[in-house]
Amino acid sequence: MQIKVAIVDDDEGIRSSLSALIKRAKDLKLTGEYANGERALAEIPKNLPDVVLMDINLPGMKGYDCVRQLKTAHPAVQFLMLTVYEDSDSLFNSLRAGASGYLLKRTASARLLEAIKDVFEGGAPMSPQLARRVVQFFSQPATDNTSIAKLTPAEREFLDQLSKGYAYKEIADRMDISIDTVRSYVRTVYEKLHVHSRTEAVVKYLRG
Amino acid sequence: MQIKVAIVDDDEGIRSSLSALIKRAKDLKLTGEYANGERALAEIPKNLPDVVLMDINLPGMKGYDCVRQLKTAHPAVQFLMLTVYEDSDSLFNSLRAGASGYLLKRTASARLLEAIKDVFEGGAPMSPQLARRVVQFFSQPATDNTSIAKLTPAEREFLDQLSKGYAYKEIADRMDISIDTVRSYVRTVYEKLHVHSRTEAVVKYLRG
DNA sequence: ATTCCGCTCGCATATTTATGCGATTGGAAA
DNA sequence: TTTCCAATCGCATAAATATGCGAGCGGAAT
């Protein structure tokens, strides 16, 4: 089965080289190419592709705004952003909008074809520099300041379970300890965090 | 120049097959292998590698807790997590701890060698399923937020108080209503959020 | 070797939370 | 105008949580 692909890019040259690339690939099928977001919004619903190659820097609406609207109406369609820019804002705006992949335009043709298959199969292809930026988003600024750092491994594990909403009995089962040991952890953890209720502990844990 | 690699895994078999793989690669050099997080914490600083292959499910401390400590002390070292588990918690805990890549253990050898070079060069290699999970993390506001949006103003105010850790009685005082009205809000809010405990409600509120 | 600490478990009890089944009022929508 | 619903309150009870006062064991540190 062929993967249906659509292209949204205002640059005629890029559009034609992309469409040529897709037409050459026997397991891909081009369903349409659009020069701007407005056209894409109007035309794509009439002939739904599996994957959309979307330029970020379109005249008029931004590529990610176009993605946001299309993705809401057609959640099954996958969006692969193509851009010359490496800036974080475009990246995170696109991800928030529902894009699944993000490649720089200088990506090699072979890699691009691979990426189209990746997104279609549920992956999230991304240029290495951009992937690292996403990963760094999560890494907290090495400040191990909080009182949570003073917890023992078992206590931290317990606190994590607490934050999931499990009852003491369930936590006991999951950690394979008795409910009285759970109660014991409640005491030591609350004391170390200076709290007196589950909610306070969980908030402190989730917020640092 | 060779990339210096260390291995942390409690499974002897996996350790030996990984070390054999690394020894065979001429542009990689094995600097050490450790059976648990505690050993890794003690030994790795004595002979710093460029990249550490870290198992998540270690006896004793979790792999990501080990990463957190080592990364804090040695920010230049890159960590590549290897695990059999695909669960989100391990993934996000690892990323928060400072890991740069995350692969499933069933990853092909060739792909693993490639990934080691990727992290060393500033990339963030990740199994497709996991990459997608990271990407999806960003595109939640459009989906999950709906339940909280359905709350009435008074209910939202109440939920905010709940998340601050106040007891029902305290919330009643602050909102100048009776404790039974508070209980009433508990019911309606829990129903709208589809939860059955304070902790679940608060987590949903803070993460919305 | 002795002390400290992390981990484990038990019993008892006070307080808080969760939930069921109600009611009244005033304002907005039908 | 009748219906709906947010907001308020009440009583009752089961379940969960918070906390006090213990204990034993094994490993690490001094």
Side-chain angles (χ1 to χ4, degrees):
Chain A
M1 192 203 73
Q2 290 183 310
I3 301 175
K4 289 178 284 183
V5 181
I7 299 170
V8 185
D9 198 315
D10 62 309
D11 185 313
E12 167 110 31
I14 291 185
R15 262 206 325 277
S16 63
S17 63
L18 283 177
S19 67
L21 180 68
I22 289 167
K23 284 171 185 165
R24 272 202 304 276
K26 61 183 173 309
D27 45 2
L28 301 183
K29 179 174 171 57
L30 188 68
T31 65
E33 37 184 301
Y34 316 96
N36 59 60
E38 292 77 6
R39 288 293 304 276
L41 277 183
E43 302 298 328
I44 283 182
K46 297 179 187 171
N47 186 14
L48 282 178
D50 298 306
V51 176
V52 176
L53 304 183
M54 175 76 70
D55 183 34
I56 296 260
N57 195 235
L58 298 168
M61 77 191 310
K62 288 284 179 185
Y64 45 77
D65 289 322
C66 183
V67 169
R68 195 181 345 266
Q69 294 192 44
L70 285 171
K71 186 74 183 181
T72 304
H74 310 284
V77 178
Q78 302 299 331
F79 294 86
L80 187 49
M81 311 304 285
L82 297 179
T83 180
V84 291
Y85 302 109
E86 301 190 32
D87 72 292
S88 292
D89 281 349
S90 295
L91 172 60
F92 289 111
N93 277 331
S94 297
L95 294 183
R96 269 195 295 273
S100 299
Y102 200 110
L103 297 180
L104 297 176
K105 278 186 177 171
R106 52 184 158 83
T107 300
S109 298
R111 178 78 188 90
L112 176 58
L113 293 176
E114 196 185 310
I116 292 174
K117 289 165 204 160
D118 273 356
V119 283
F120 179 67
E121 288 160 8
M126 206 161 291
S127 295
Q129 306 92 323
L130 299 166
R132 178 59 71 101
R133 205 162 296 182
V134 170
V135 165
Q136 279 171 344
F137 174 88
F138 290 95
S139 66
Q140 38 199 209
T143 49
D144 280 336
N145 42 18
T146 51
S147 41
I148 290 165
K150 293 184 183 298
L151 300 180
T152 68
E155 285 166 349
R156 206 168 298 128
E157 159 88 26
F158 157 75
L159 180 53
D160 193 70
Q161 298 289 317
L162 249 204
S163 76
K164 300 254 172 31
Y166 297 122
Y168 290 174
K169 166 115 186 58
E170 293 175 307
I171 295 175
D173 288 345
R174 282 165 187 273
M175 292 179 67
D176 200 33
I177 53 180
S178 89
I179 194 169
D180 279 302
T181 301
V182 171
R183 289 191 226 268
S184 180
Y185 287 149
V186 171
R187 272 182 285 258
T188 59
V189 168
Y190 283 12
E191 190 175 355
K192 287 182 181 178
L193 299 188
H194 306 295
V195 300
H196 303 279
S197 77
R198 179 172 181 147
T199 302
E200 290 176 290
V202 168
V203 168
K204 200 159 256 194
Y205 176 63
L206 294 178
R207 288 266 183 260
Chain B
M1 191 203 72
Q2 289 181 312
I3 301 175
K4 287 179 285 182
V5 181
I7 300 170
V8 185
D9 198 315
D10 62 308
D11 186 313
E12 167 108 31
I14 292 184
R15 264 208 320 280
S16 63
S17 66
L18 284 177
S19 66
L21 181 68
I22 289 167
K23 283 171 185 163
R24 272 203 304 278
K26 59 184 177 306
D27 45 2
L28 301 183
K29 180 175 171 55
L30 187 68
T31 65
E33 38 184 301
Y34 316 96
N36 59 59
E38 292 77 6
R39 288 294 305 276
L41 278 183
E43 301 298 327
I44 283 182
K46 296 178 186 171
N47 187 14
L48 283 177
D50 297 306
V51 176
V52 177
L53 303 184
M54 175 77 68
D55 183 33
I56 296 260
N57 195 235
L58 298 169
M61 78 191 310
K62 290 282 179 187
Y64 44 76
D65 289 322
C66 184
V67 169
R68 197 184 339 271
Q69 294 192 43
L70 284 170
K71 187 74 183 180
T72 304
H74 310 283
V77 178
Q78 301 299 331
F79 294 86
L80 188 48
M81 311 305 286
L82 296 180
T83 181
V84 290
Y85 302 110
E86 302 191 30
D87 72 290
S88 292
D89 281 347
S90 294
L91 172 59
F92 288 111
N93 277 331
S94 297
L95 294 182
R96 272 196 296 272
S100 299
Y102 199 110
L103 297 181
L104 297 176
K105 277 186 177 171
R106 52 186 159 80
T107 300
S109 298
R111 178 77 188 89
L112 177 58
L113 293 175
E114 198 184 311
I116 292 174
K117 290 165 202 162
D118 273 356
V119 283
F120 180 67
E121 287 161 9
M126 205 162 292
S127 295
Q129 306 92 320
L130 299 165
R132 177 59 71 100
R133 208 162 294 182
V134 170
V135 165
Q136 279 173 343
F137 173 88
F138 289 95
S139 59
Q140 278 188 356
T143 55
D144 211 13
N145 210 344
T146 35
S147 48
I148 288 168
K150 289 183 184 300
L151 299 180
T152 67
E155 287 166 346
R156 207 169 295 126
E157 155 93 27
F158 157 75
L159 181 53
D160 192 69
Q161 298 289 318
L162 249 204
S163 76
K164 299 240 166 49
Y166 298 121
Y168 290 175
K169 166 117 184 58
E170 293 175 306
I171 295 175
D173 288 348
R174 285 168 182 272
M175 292 179 68
D176 200 33
I177 54 181
S178 89
I179 194 170
D180 279 302
T181 302
V182 171
R183 290 191 226 268
S184 179
Y185 287 151
V186 170
R187 271 182 285 258
T188 59
V189 168
Y190 284 11
E191 190 175 357
K192 287 182 181 178
L193 298 189
H194 306 295
V195 299
H196 302 279
S197 77
R198 181 172 179 149
T199 302
E200 290 176 291
V202 169
V203 168
K204 201 158 256 195
Y205 176 62
L206 295 179
R207 291 259 187 255

